[in-house]
């Protein structure tokens, strides 16, 4: 299914009340029952929702299911069992896909699986359900779509690459937030090479001067970690991208070590699929016109001076002393193999 440009926040302001549905109690007996009925894919999906907060039904089909019907049937059961919660933002014309967040039984399942108490996760049902009214909802869903589109591409039979790491803004903030908080961090493996990047997902709600000023903090992060990581900035329109590139280039020229802050941009109008990160759409900010737009796997061509990314590791630049409570490891972005176990 072709994905359209992400929905602006102004179209998600009002929400249609959903029809009441029978829910089961989150009792110890119910959790024991779930232990026998949740598949590996169910548990993985719970971890993805815990990490990335909200995923639409379309995104869940992209990352985990062979078809929409199979996804809808399974998600309906997970909703009835209290594993996930769902809401559908109101739209004047047409309808938005259902949006899913982690519910209490799902959070308990992954906590117990890791030998933790639910309270250790810092999980709050009120906060998760409240995402339906968050002013950041459109931004979160749009940024997540950049990565779920990568997973969809990697799941194709003829896929050339694979998404090996996807960190949420919240995880990035826990590790680098005292310097800068990217909207996401990812790693893509293709043709024996692994590429890493930070994402800045712009929806036109932030001033370009404020966005460009983040490059100063990315330079400080590179100095602190000793790693120059490409920053990929996505903009909704070509006009917005052009204006942003001028602001970004001006800040880059003022940095002490601009080579330590590699930046490339794209817009939703740069490719047939606005959210396909693998397409030839990334343009280096200080490009002289010789290279033009390149695909994700070709990013090293833009900055040949950068060393190859080391193999993916769950411990990249982590400072465990900063954690205030036990944390789940980031889930692998690719879904587990579907077992022959019944999904009912």
């Amino acid at each position: 299914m072709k994905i359209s440009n992400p929905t602006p926040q102004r179209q998600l302001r009002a929400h249609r009340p959903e029809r009441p549905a029978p829910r089961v109690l989150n009792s110890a007996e119910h959790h024991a029952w779930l232990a026998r009925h949740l598949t590996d894919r169910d548990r993985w999906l719970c971890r993805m929702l815990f990490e990335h907060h909200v995923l639409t039904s379309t995104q869940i089909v992209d990352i985990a299911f062979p078809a929409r019907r199979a996804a809808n049937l399974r998600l309906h059961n997970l909703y009835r069992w209290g594993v996930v919660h769902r809401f559908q933002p109101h739209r004047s014309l047409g309808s938005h896909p259902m949006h899913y967040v982690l519910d209490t039984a799902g959070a308990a399942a992954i906590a117990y699986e890791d030998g933790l108490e639910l309270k250790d996760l810092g999980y709050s049902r009120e906060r998760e359900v409240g995402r339906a009214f968050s002013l950041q909802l459109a931004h979160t869903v749009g940024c997540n779509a950049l990565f779920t589109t990568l997973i969809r591409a990697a799941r194709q039979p003829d896929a050339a690459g694979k998404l090996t790491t996807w960190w949420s803004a919240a995880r990035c903030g826990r590790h680098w937030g005292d310097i800068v908080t990217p909207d996401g961090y990812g790693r893509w493996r293709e043709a024996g090479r692994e590429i890493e990047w930070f994402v800045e997902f712009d929806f036109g709600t932030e001033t370009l001067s404020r966005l460009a000023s983040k490059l100063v903090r990315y330079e400080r992060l590179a100095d602190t970690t000793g790693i120059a990581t490409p920053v990929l900035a996505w903009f909704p329109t070509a006009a917005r991208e052009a204006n942003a590139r001028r602001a970004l280039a001006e800040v880059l020229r003022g940095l002490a070590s601009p080579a330590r802050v590699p930046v490339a941009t794209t817009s939703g109008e740069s490719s047939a699929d606005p959210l396909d990160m693998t397409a030839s759409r990334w343009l280096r900010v200080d490009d002289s016109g010789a290279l033009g737009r390149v695909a994700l796997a070709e990013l090293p061509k833009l900055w040949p001076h950068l060393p190859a990314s080391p193999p993916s590791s769950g411990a990249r630049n982590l400072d465990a002393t900063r954690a205030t409570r036990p944390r789940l490891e980031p889930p692998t972005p690719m879904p587990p193999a579907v077992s022959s176990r019944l999904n009912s």
Side-chain angles (χ1 to χ4, degrees):
M1 175 179 289
K2 185 176 180 180
I3 298 180
S4 61
N5 234 339
T7 306
Q9 179 68 38
R10 63 178 177 275
Q11 295 187 22
L12 298 177
R13 288 178 179 169
H15 302 271
R16 180 184 305 155
E18 63 182 19
R19 181 180 302 176
R23 305 299 301 274
V24 293
L25 294 176
N26 286 305
S27 62
E29 291 78 10
H30 178 58
H31 292 159
W33 183 88
L34 281 178
R36 303 192 307 272
H37 290 80
L38 292 182
T39 66
D40 290 341
R41 182 174 60 189
D42 296 334
R43 297 172 190 275
W44 172 82
L45 181 58
C46 287
R47 292 178 183 273
M48 291 292 279
L49 287 172
F50 182 79
E51 174 78 13
H52 304 296
H53 304 316
V54 57
L55 295 169
T56 69
S57 57
T58 300
Q59 292 168 350
I60 292 173
V61 171
D62 283 347
I63 68 176
F65 288 89
R68 181 170 293 275
R69 177 173 172 78
N72 288 343
L73 289 173
R74 191 59 182 173
L75 288 171
H76 177 69
N77 280 340
L78 295 178
Y79 170 71
R80 289 194 303 112
W81 299 342
V83 175
V84 300
H85 182 72
R86 68 190 184 191
F87 60 89
Q88 187 174 28
H90 173 70
R91 193 172 192 171
S92 299
L93 297 175
S95 61
H96 286 296
M98 199 68 74
H99 289 50
Y100 288 86
V101 297
L102 189 63
D103 211 338
T104 307
I110 58 177
Y112 298 156
E113 194 172 58
D114 281 21
L116 303 173
E117 295 293 330
L118 180 58
K119 60 182 175 58
D120 293 333
L121 295 184
Y123 171 83
S124 165
R125 186 177 191 275
E126 289 73 20
R127 181 180 63 238
E128 297 308 309
V129 174
R131 296 189 191 281
F133 305 96
S134 170
L135 295 178
Q136 293 297 313
L137 176 61
H139 182 274
T140 300
V141 170
C143 188
N144 285 351
L146 289 177
F147 290 93
T148 59
T149 302
L150 284 175
I151 299 173
R152 181 189 65 186
R155 294 180 65 219
Q156 302 309 305
D158 58 347
K162 177 183 179 181
L163 185 66
T164 60
T165 303
W166 172 19
W167 285 10
S168 65
R171 187 174 295 274
C172 290
R174 288 197 295 272
H175 299 305
W176 305 303
D178 56 342
I179 301 176
V180 66
T181 301
D183 289 324
Y185 166 76
R187 297 178 71 103
W188 178 262
R189 182 185 300 142
E190 185 171 338
R193 172 181 284 171
E194 198 157 288
I195 304 122
E196 65 177 344
W197 69 91
F198 293 124
V199 162
E200 287 293 337
F201 186 78
D202 174 78
F203 234 160
T205 58
E206 187 175 30
T207 64
L208 292 179
S209 59
R210 180 178 179 183
L211 174 66
S213 69
K214 292 182 180 180
L215 299 189
V216 176
R217 285 175 274 165
Y218 277 113
E219 181 185 37
R220 181 183 166 199
L221 181 64
D223 290 339
T224 301
T225 62
I227 302 174
T229 303
V231 179
L232 304 184
W234 185 97
F235 299 94
T237 65
R240 175 81 171 174
E241 181 191 9
N243 291 332
R245 288 176 61 80
R246 287 191 287 271
L248 292 167
E250 182 177 355
V251 173
L252 272 178
R253 286 192 294 268
L255 296 181
S257 303
R260 297 185 66 80
V261 189
V263 187
T265 67
T266 189
S267 79
E269 299 172 350
S270 297
S271 175
D273 185 335
L275 298 167
D276 181 9
M277 294 189 73
T278 65
S280 299
R281 66 187 311 153
W282 301 104
L283 184 64
R284 178 172 162 167
V285 164
D286 53 351
D287 179 55
S288 61
L291 294 174
R293 296 187 184 269
V294 303
L296 183 67
E298 298 173 329
L299 284 179
K301 292 182 179 179
L302 300 183
W303 305 286
H305 67 281
L306 291 183
S309 299
S312 182
S313 169
R316 183 191 187 276
N317 297 333
L318 304 190
D319 182 359
T321 62
R322 295 176 59 188
T324 58
R325 60 170 65 93
R327 295 285 186 180
L328 297 183
E329 290 295 318
T332 172
M334 302 306 296
V338 178
S339 68
S340 58
R341 183 179 174 183
L342 292 177
N343 285 339
S344 59

